[in-house]
């Protein structure tokens, strides 16, 4: 988790962000604008890099992709801002590793919730239908009952 964060921070912050900042300083001669452009640009590249890899193995709805894109971009902005203000690759790497850990924890909790929902649904469906055939309406009603007892997302 931390090793990946270090390498990515070295590339996106230490290389891309610094390069963009130097290029912008030569063009606009304004430290604030060059810093802002370099943070946004490196964050955008960070997002595209991660987003393309997500699209290859996740089957999400359009709105879920948009939310994930926005979350990645905000994470990139946070890491870029951390690097810009501290000039310390270790600090932005720790922020990156923390971001990864929170993302992994959220995914883990969501998977547990879906697993609990699935087990509850199967158990309730088995009790309701037994060895008889269930109608589609029976299945839907059982799923609704299972969802009422499932943990909710916070």
């Amino acid at each position: 988790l931390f090793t990946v964060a270090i390498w990515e921070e070295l590339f996106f912050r230490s290389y891309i962000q610094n390069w963009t900042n130097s290029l912008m300083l030569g063009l606009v001669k304004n430290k604030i604008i060059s810093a802002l452009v370099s943070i946004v640009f490196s964050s955008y590249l960070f997002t595209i890099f991660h987003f393309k890899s997500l699209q290859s193995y996740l089957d999400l709805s359009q709105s879920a992709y948009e939310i994930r894109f926005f979350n990645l971009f905000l994470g990139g902005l946070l890491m870029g801002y951390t690097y810009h203000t501290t000039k310390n690759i270790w600090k932005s790497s720790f922020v990156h590793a923390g971001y990864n850990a929170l993302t992994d924890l959220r995914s883990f909790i969501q998977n547990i919730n879906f697993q609990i929902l699935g087990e509850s649904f199967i158990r309730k469906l088995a009790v309701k239908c037994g060895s008889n055939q269930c109608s589609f309406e029976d299945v839907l009603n059982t799923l609704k009952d299972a969802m009422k007892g499932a943990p909710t997302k916070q």
Side-chain angles (χ1 to χ4, degrees):
L1 201 69
F2 189 69
T3 305
V4 171
I6 292 170
W7 286 110
E8 288 183 3
E9 288 305 297
L10 282 169
F11 179 71
F12 288 106
R13 309 303 158 223
S14 184
Y15 179 69
I16 298 292
Q17 189 169 319
N18 280 339
W19 176 80
T20 307
N21 194 37
S22 296
L23 179 71
M24 290 304 297
L25 274 174
L27 294 173
V28 296
K29 309 279 191 264
N30 184 314
K31 288 182 179 183
I32 295 172
I33 291 174
S34 64
L36 183 62
V37 169
S38 66
I39 291 169
V40 169
F41 182 69
S42 66
S43 299
Y44 180 74
L45 291 180
F46 173 83
T47 303
I48 295 299
F49 174 79
H50 287 83
F51 194 70
K52 288 295 180 187
S53 64
L54 277 176
Q55 286 180 315
S56 65
Y57 68 90
L58 288 181
D59 184 25
L60 300 173
S61 67
Q62 182 64 32
S63 61
Y65 277 124
E66 291 166 0
I67 291 168
R68 184 67 180 140
F69 187 91
F70 184 70
N71 286 340
L72 283 166
F73 187 67
L74 284 179
L77 289 174
L78 178 64
M79 293 167 226
Y81 177 77
T82 301
Y83 179 72
H84 176 74
T85 56
T86 65
K87 298 295 185 222
N88 188 324
I89 201 70
W90 292 106
K91 289 182 181 176
S92 65
S93 296
F94 277 113
V95 170
H96 191 140
Y99 174 83
N100 287 350
L102 288 174
T103 302
D104 290 347
L105 180 62
R106 181 185 50 103
S107 296
F108 177 72
I109 290 170
Q110 283 179 333
N111 288 339
I112 288 174
N113 287 346
F114 288 130
Q115 184 177 359
I116 291 169
L117 172 63
E119 290 170 359
S120 174
F121 170 65
I122 291 168
R123 198 168 32 256
K124 288 181 179 193
L125 189 61
V127 169
K128 187 171 197 167
C129 298
S131 59
N132 301 329
Q133 286 186 333
C134 285
S135 68
F136 185 68
E137 186 178 347
D138 289 336
V139 173
L140 286 179
N141 288 333
T142 304
L143 181 58
K144 287 177 188 175
D145 290 342
M147 289 176 76
K148 288 177 189 172
T152 57
K153 291 184 199 176
Q154 295 293 328

